[in-house]
Amino acid sequence: VTKKSLGEVQLAAWKSLLNAHAVAVGAIETRLREAGEIPLTWYDVLWALRKSGDDCCLRFRQLQDEIVLSRSALSRLIDTLAKAGLVKKQTCAKDARGLDVELTEKGHKALTSAWPIYSAGITEHFARQLTAEECQQVARILGKVAELTPTCRNT
Amino acid sequence: VTKKSLGEVQLAAWKSLLNAHAVAVGAIETRLREAGEIPLTWYDVLWALRKSGDDCCLRFRQLQDEIVLSRSALSRLIDTLAKAGLVKKQTCAKDARGLDVELTEKGHKALTSAWPIYSAGITEHFARQLTAEECQQVARILGKVAELTPTCRNT
DNA sequence: AAAGATTGAGAGGTCAATCTTA
DNA sequence: TAAGATTGACCTCTCAATCTTT
């Protein structure tokens, strides 16, 4: 090994994160595609809208806080979702600079229809051989990681 | 929550994986870019070559087993690396269908030069607040995940 | 000028089809 | 015909510049 200053143990943990993510996400995306369901990115956005409250409507800005994408990528993604009829774009009433994004009925259905495949994928490609305790440990430990870097996106 | 069949605990673990990965990888890529070093994907390929043995040379096919990319993506990436002078492409002597990919001197240097930034990134954005024991737990648990799905790439 | 969102250019990814050698 | 790798068409991401409303 060519280095020091970062221990072997830390490095092994890091590699396991990269691998586990690549393998599990890849497999789940494939399942979704083969089942004709929406991809994970779409799911995340629609889910953020559904859980946002009664009207399932969020400002672009707020969506941005939930989704790990650059501003431009999110802007294009919302366009795509709107074209697919899963969300509806509306200029914000209170501030015409803003954009309101609302989940449509079709969007609700897409979310509901994708969940069985998605959850089966999580089970099969991630949770299958983990005990409940191990899941708790992972959640606790990786939770700390997310706090380390406040997910600062571009200007 | 709209579902059952996958427990809350498992779901929380899954989300923590997605988040930790996105945040840490994003931050590290930014650091590398700002420091003028090679991106993570390039690092992975060059590293696979370096660790492959004395001549730092691998068949395309073997590289594929180490790298999480589709065949075509890897093909283009190797082209890019060759144009940048970091690897050298050679038709394989024993089987003219094959491609040998060799790490160049410049490739070695790029790897060496990027490591301090990369390792500092891993420390700061991932390992910083984790104990050695937690790292071991993560490595062990996420290691199981990677085994679940044999990283089958496209035909 | 600043905040909110979009757009243009370029990099890099995927699948499916193709070319080449065994 | 199969194995190894490349190419074409298309999609999505990023950064930087731009447009619009405050």
Side-chain angles (χ1 to χ4, degrees), chain A residues 16-136:
Chain A
S16 74
L17 174 68
L18 294 185
N19 262 304
H21 179 272
V23 168
V25 168
I28 292 174
E29 290 278 23
T30 299
R31 279 192 160 221
L32 287 170
R33 186 161 18 79
E34 288 175 351
E37 300 293 345
I38 57 177
L40 276 184
T41 336
W42 293 28
Y43 194 95
D44 286 344
V45 172
L46 300 184
W47 176 250
L49 291 174
R50 174 180 282 179
K51 80 175 178 201
S52 72
D54 304 329
D55 51 357
C56 293
C57 185
L58 277 179
R59 297 282 298 274
F60 183 102
R61 214 44 214 197
Q62 299 176 285
L63 251 182
Q64 173 114 292
D65 293 334
E66 314 260 348
I67 305 294
V68 188
L69 274 183
S70 70
R71 194 196 309 234
S72 48
L74 183 55
S75 181
R76 293 188 221 269
L77 176 52
I78 290 175
D79 261 3
T80 306
L81 292 175
K83 272 171 205 150
L86 305 181
V87 304
K88 194 173 160 195
K89 292 172 72 172
Q90 281 165 307
T91 34
C92 182
K94 312 212 167 193
D95 180 345
R97 289 174 304 183
L99 177 71
D100 283 334
V101 182
E102 189 184 350
L103 191 60
T104 64
E105 194 49 41
K106 192 172 174 188
H108 271 289
K109 286 182 184 159
L111 212 38
T112 306
S113 152
W115 176 246
I117 306 290
Y118 187 16
S119 62
I122 297 174
T123 301
E124 174 141 350
H125 300 291
F126 174 72
R128 172 162 246 168
Q129 299 193 347
L130 307 188
T131 66
E133 197 186 2
E134 288 173 332
C135 286
Q136 282 174 319

Side-chain angles (χ1 to χ4, degrees), chain B residues 3-155:
Chain B
K3 61 275 165 178
K4 218 52 202 179
S5 84
L6 180 72
E8 291 301 322
V9 185
Q10 284 77 21
L11 193 52
W14 172 248
K15 286 184 185 170
S16 75
L17 174 69
L18 294 184
N19 263 304
H21 178 272
V23 167
V25 168
I28 292 175
E29 290 278 24
T30 299
R31 280 193 160 219
L32 286 169
R33 184 160 21 78
E34 288 175 351
E37 300 293 344
I38 57 177
L40 276 185
T41 336
W42 293 28
Y43 195 94
D44 286 344
V45 172
L46 301 185
W47 175 250
L49 292 173
R50 174 181 281 178
K51 80 174 178 201
S52 73
D54 303 331
D55 51 356
C56 293
C57 185
L58 278 179
R59 298 280 298 274
F60 183 101
R61 213 46 212 194
Q62 299 177 286
L63 250 183
Q64 173 117 293
D65 293 333
E66 313 260 349
I67 304 294
V68 188
L69 273 183
S70 68
R71 194 195 310 228
S72 48
L74 183 55
S75 181
R76 291 188 221 271
L77 177 51
I78 290 175
D79 261 2
T80 306
L81 292 174
K83 272 172 205 150
L86 305 182
V87 304
K88 194 173 160 194
K89 293 172 70 171
Q90 281 165 308
T91 34
C92 182
K94 312 214 167 190
D95 180 345
R97 290 174 303 183
L99 177 70
D100 283 333
V101 182
E102 190 185 349
L103 191 60
T104 63
E105 194 48 41
K106 193 173 175 188
H108 270 289
K109 286 181 185 160
L111 212 38
T112 305
S113 154
W115 176 246
I117 306 290
Y118 187 16
S119 62
I122 297 174
T123 300
E124 174 141 350
H125 301 290
F126 173 73
R128 173 164 245 168
Q129 300 192 349
L130 307 188
T131 65
E133 197 186 0
E134 288 172 332
C135 286
Q136 282 174 318
Q137 289 177 337
V138 167
R140 183 181 61 75
I141 298 172
L142 293 187
K144 294 203 229 169
V145 172
E147 286 163 18
L148 275 182
T149 307
T151 314
C152 45
R153 278 174 228 73
N154 69 23
T155 351

